[in-house]
Amino acid sequence: MLLIPCPHCGPRDEVEFRYGGQVRPAYPENPAALDDAAWADYLFMRDNPAGEFRERWVHTAGCRRWFTVVRNTATNEFRSDESDEEQV
């Protein structure tokens, strides 16, 4: 069982959260210039590292707010992300 550190409510059980995925890559500067392969890459391809990974979570059973954490995918250790911004 994971203990996820909500920055607004404190550490809570993983069943209270939903995973939002990798922190979104930057939106393409000129989207009209992208071909289908580049759009597919932007929309569907995400990193899958063994180690630290920035991800989005929402506290669905608590404050219902989105936040960013850094999770080590090898150990499932969480730490807060100092650069967290209110994003959806």
Side-chain angles (χ1 to χ4, degrees), residues 26-57:
Y27 191 76
E29 287 186 31
N30 187 2
L34 297 180
D35 61 9
D36 289 343
W39 265 116
D41 186 55
Y42 170 73
L43 292 173
F44 303 112
M45 302 305 289
R46 297 293 182 257
D47 296 333
N48 188 19
E52 292 195 343
F53 190 62
R54 291 182 70 227
E55 27 186 53
R56 300 287 292 161
W57 288 81

Side-chain angles (χ1 to χ4, degrees), residues 2 48-53 55 70-78:
L2 294 176
N48 188 19
E52 292 195 343
F53 190 62
E55 27 186 53
V70 176
R71 180 175 64 96
N72 186 313
T73 59
T75 64
N76 278 330
E77 292 179 56
F78 285 82

Side-chain angles (χ1 to χ4, degrees), residues 4-18:
I4 299 175
C6 175
H8 312 288
C9 303
R12 298 289 193 269
D13 189 288
E14 68 182 297
V15 299
E16 294 187 17
F17 298 87
R18 293 294 173 262

